[in-house]
Amino acid sequence: MQRALALAERARGRTSPNPLVGAVLVRDGEIVGEGYHQQAGGPHAEIYALRAAGERSRGATLYVTLEPCSHHGRTPPCTEALIAAGIAAAHMAMLDPNPRVNGQGRARLEQAGIVTTVGLGAREAARQNEAFITYIRQGRPFVIAKYACSLDGKIATRSGESRWISGEQSRRRVHELRDQMDAIMVGANTVLNDDPRLTTRLPERESVQHPLRIVADSRGRLPLAARVFDPALPGRTILATTAACPQEQREALEERGTEILLLPAGEGGRLDLAALLRALGQREITSLLVEGGGTLLDAFFRARLVDRVLAFIAPLIIGGAAAPAAVSGEGVARLGQAARLRELEVERVGPDLLLSGYPHWPE
């Protein structure tokens, strides 16, 4: 199962809206076939493993990180291929949360006389497919809040200087993360202050994935010349806005190739973030990286729409009441309302620390 999980990981960022899946076939104590799902619309992991094993599939035991599908989707059902190949047993890390499968694949295998178990490697498999699970169960992307800050929580000095707080290794890690995400999002202030491109830059790689760029600007304050709206950039850009954005601004951006996503206004005229995530879910966006700034991150936290936090903390002390914080906005009034990270992990990335965890809010 560990081998199956490692195989599945090879396709991270390339299978959306499908899950990551790895499969290993074992016969007489020897691996006879293995494979992983490589992209949506392509063969599933089980099919690759069966092809590699050939006739040795008969009587073999399957280890797979997700329950085999039992329905016709972009590809035929894997259960029928496994039954036809004559496997004897199947160990699944977890059942597929998709209601079109969810136990039906296992039931179909057992109906054909194949012995099944569920649960081996379940925790690892669920973590591996946390974005897919959120997308299936909640109809929205899995949201990662990412920021880089000083040891005292600042993302810039009082004069606005922010390049670079984090080290080179941390910045590279962020580009590796972008390469794995469906979409990336920043607020209007970040565009005004930093003028980012929001592309993936890993020069040594022949091909990278540029996530869908989403800019939140409820009132249409951003200039057309902002680099994120450059039609020459690889990938696509969406301006998420409200009716408060002037129509001529929207039309001008559309002429430059930017898509306009008109959303209802929420509290204080800001974007309704829940509506935004629903719209992205309808587009089969399963993962969203929110990179700031502080006001946008605060809005996501107050709406309790953050699923994971990645905080790169540099060994710097900036200080100053006027220096912007990583999460600003209104914040909470009482400590009892604050999100507390669970399953906290700490990693050294060059001179920086990377803290990651899953926020939990009090009832």
Side-chain angles (χ1 to χ4, degrees), residues 159-178:
S159 65
E161 183 183 354
S162 61
R163 294 183 179 178
W164 295 101
I165 286 179
S166 59
E168 183 178 348
Q169 294 96 323
S170 292
R171 298 196 297 275
R172 177 183 170 80
R173 180 69 70 86
V174 170
H175 284 280
E176 291 173 346
L177 182 61
R178 289 181 181 181

Side-chain angles (χ1 to χ4, degrees), residues 203-223:
E204 76 286 356
R205 295 192 185 178
E206 291 185 5
S207 70
V208 296
Q209 178 170 271
H210 299 280
L212 173 67
R213 295 178 290 273
I214 303 169
V215 179
D217 181 12
S218 59
R219 301 194 303 274
R221 296 184 292 141
L222 296 178

Side-chain angles (χ1 to χ4, degrees), residues 12-59:
R12 180 164 295 280
R14 300 300 184 266
T15 64
S16 183
N18 287 358
L20 294 165
V21 185
V24 174
L25 281 167
V26 177
R27 181 169 145 178
D28 299 327
E30 177 187 356
I31 291 178
V32 295
E34 60 182 29
Y36 62 97
H37 183 45
Q38 299 178 18
Q39 62 181 17
H44 288 186
E46 301 93 319
I47 303 305
Y48 280 116
L50 289 172
R51 289 176 181 175
E55 284 302 314
R56 292 179 296 176
S57 299
R58 191 160 301 279

Side-chain angles (χ1 to χ4, degrees), residues 11-188:
R12 180 164 295 280
R14 300 300 184 266
T15 64
S16 183
N18 287 358
L20 294 165
V21 185
V24 174
L25 281 167
V26 177
R27 181 169 145 178
D28 299 327
E30 177 187 356
I31 291 178
V32 295
E34 60 182 29
Y36 62 97
H37 183 45
Q38 299 178 18
Q39 62 181 17
H44 288 186
E46 301 93 319
I47 303 305
Y48 280 116
L50 289 172
R51 289 176 181 175
E55 284 302 314
R56 292 179 296 176
S57 299
R58 191 160 301 279
T61 296
L62 171 71
Y63 293 82
V64 64
T65 60
L66 192 69
E67 177 185 17
C69 66
S70 55
H71 67 288
H72 283 271
R74 290 182 170 94
T75 59
C78 291
T79 51
E80 303 313 302
L82 293 167
I83 292 168
I87 71 166
H91 299 294
M92 301 163 242
M94 60 179 288
L95 296 180
D96 190 334
N98 189 334
R100 298 181 68 185
V101 185
N102 200 9
Q104 298 178 56
R106 181 188 191 186
R108 178 69 186 102
L109 293 178
E110 290 185 339
Q111 185 182 37
I114 296 171
V115 178
T116 71
T117 66
V118 175
L120 180 63
R123 184 177 182 276
E124 296 94 330
R127 171 73 70 89
Q128 188 173 66
N129 272 314
E130 57 193 7
F132 173 74
I133 293 170
T134 298
Y135 167 70
I136 289 295
R137 290 179 175 171
Q138 301 186 41
R140 65 163 179 86
F142 182 85
V143 176
I144 298 177
K146 189 282 299 180
Y147 55 85
C149 66
S150 63
L151 197 57
D152 55 341
K154 305 296 186 179
I155 58 173
T157 66
R158 68 174 186 269
S159 65
E161 183 183 354
S162 61
R163 294 183 179 178
W164 295 101
I165 286 179
S166 59
E168 183 178 348
Q169 294 96 323
S170 292
R171 298 196 297 275
R172 177 183 170 80
R173 180 69 70 86
V174 170
H175 284 280
E176 291 173 346
L177 182 61
R178 289 181 181 181
D179 184 55
Q180 301 169 357
M181 303 296 292
D182 288 353
I184 181 173
M185 184 176 184
V186 296

